Amino acid sequence: RQSGDFINKLGGGGKVSLKDYFIDKKILARKRNTMPVLAKNNQIYAIIGITVSQDVRVTNDTIKIYKLKFLED
């Protein structure tokens, strides 16, 4: 996580900072730094096990779907 990280909320609702998203979802501060995210630069595409960004949602126009598997130690 870095300062300025943001996610476009699934279902609309616009762009929100990752910190504000975690606060809105009542995710404990001590867990936030350990949650895996899929991102490019400051744009979060997915918070693994929680949500995906509106930008990468599956629609009728979707051509490819990638299945990612997160393995914990």
Side-chain angles (χ1 to χ4, degrees), residues 21-70:
Y21 183 86
F22 282 150
I23 290 169
D24 290 347
K25 295 298 179 185
K26 298 181 176 31
I27 296 172
L28 298 175
R30 68 176 183 266
K31 290 189 173 188
R32 295 176 196 164
N33 284 330
T34 63
M35 299 191 82
V37 298
L38 181 62
K40 180 179 180 185
N41 300 320
N42 287 81
Q43 185 173 4
I44 305 296
Y45 293 118
I47 305 169
I48 308 303
I50 305 294
T51 192
V52 298
S53 169
Q54 179 76 8
D55 300 321
V56 295
R57 72 193 184 282
V58 176
T59 69
N60 290 335
D61 297 325
T62 299
I63 297 170
K64 290 184 181 181
I65 297 175
Y66 295 94
K67 182 178 179 179
L68 305 175
K69 191 174 195 178
F70 177 72

